[in-house]
Amino acid sequence: MEYMLDKDVERVLFSEEELRERVAQIAAQIDADYAGKEPLLVSVLRGSFVFMADLVRQIHVPCTVDFMAVSSYGKGASSSGQVKIIKDLSEQIEGKDLIVVEDILDSGNTLSYLLQLLQARKPASVRLCTLLDKPSRRVKEVEVNYSGFSIPDYFVVGYGLDYAEKYRNLPYIGVLKPSIYGG
Ligand code: IMP
Ligand code: MG
């Protein structure tokens, strides 16, 4: 550990190397499933930017990328159930094969709203790829096609994931000390 924010982390859940290995496995699955196709990867900002950057470099089929920003949380650690589009996609998605790339699936509120919105634009297909999944927290049912790791109900940070916008730069995924968020 060598980052100033390391002291706020209770323990490392997934090291850089574990993340690299799992991301490569997911990319290989995507390569196999999209052979002969050209998927459009849609990154849900901001949390998924690190995962997206690593994933896309391990995908060998031709693909394009686009970005969307939604907000569901404000600065807290629990879901409000309200989703706001901060930034919409730049490209049309009608007829395209979409892969929505998320950092973490928690209550499912954000994703179920987002998937509905994207479906209405008539893409050829939509699949969901999430690095982390907290199934015990699910409120809205969401079909997950690619999932990196299932985790218990920990609040995790790093590798793009934040608490109050910090910790995104940590190269590993760690459990945040409850004292930091008043838990
Ligand atoms: P959902 O709508 O409850 O599924 O919330 C998903 C979003 O909540 C994710 O994209 C994250 O931004 C945030 N989130 C949920 N759990 C965590 C966590 O453990 N650490 C950091 N962000 C989280
Ligand atoms: Mg997010």
Side-chain angles (χ1 to χ4, degrees):
M1 296 218 181
E2 50 195 294
Y3 288 76
M4 285 173 72
L5 292 172
D6 288 340
K7 64 176 182 354
D8 296 350
V9 173
E10 197 163 81
R11 68 195 168 85
V12 174
L13 204 54
F14 303 112
S15 67
E16 282 187 79
E17 192 176 340
E18 287 172 304
L19 289 166
R20 202 178 314 117
E21 265 175 39
R22 191 67 188 115
V23 171
Q25 288 169 351
I26 296 170
Q29 275 182 313
I30 291 175
D31 273 342
D33 294 350
Y34 288 83
K37 294 188 176 165
E38 197 174 306
L40 165 60
L41 277 73
V42 172
S43 163
V44 184
L45 296 170
R46 278 167 279 190
S48 73
F49 80 106
V50 176
F51 176 40
M52 176 75 158
D54 282 349
L55 181 69
V56 81
R57 282 176 293 174
Q58 298 283 349
I59 291 177
H60 298 263
V61 297
C63 63
T64 56
V65 300
D66 204 347
F67 300 87
M68 216 171 160
V70 298
S71 134
S72 58
Y73 267 28
K75 282 188 177 158
S78 64
S79 181
S80 68
Q82 289 205 322
V83 181
K84 204 165 91 183
I85 294 191
I86 309 293
K87 180 210 173 299
D88 206 338
L89 296 172
S90 305
E91 304 294 329
Q92 304 288 323
I93 60 169
E94 191 174 337
K96 302 224 169 126
D97 291 304
L98 258 58
I99 304 176
V100 175
V101 178
E102 253 288 24
D103 52 354
I104 187 165
L105 184 53
D106 189 38
S107 71
N109 283 325
T110 312
L111 259 301
S112 72
Y113 174 86
L114 198 65
L115 292 172
Q116 239 178 305
L117 182 138
L118 294 173
Q119 287 287 6
R121 298 180 188 177
K122 310 231 180 307
S125 66
V126 182
R127 283 187 173 177
L128 174 62
C129 174
T130 187
L131 179 65
L132 303 176
D133 187 2
K134 289 186 196 171
S136 68
R137 296 262 304 169
R138 201 76 85 252
V139 173
K140 294 241 176 74
E141 201 187 315
V142 177
E143 190 196 345
V144 186
N145 306 98
Y146 307 97
S147 169
F149 301 98
S150 265
I151 63 168
D153 186 14
Y154 301 139
F155 197 83
V156 292
V157 294
Y159 199 71
L161 289 138
D162 75 305
Y163 173 67
E165 294 304 326
K166 289 197 297 183
Y167 307 97
R168 296 193 195 273
N169 57 317
L170 298 179
Y172 55 85
I173 289 177
V175 180
L176 193 63
K177 284 182 182 164
S179 60
I180 302 296
Y181 57 88

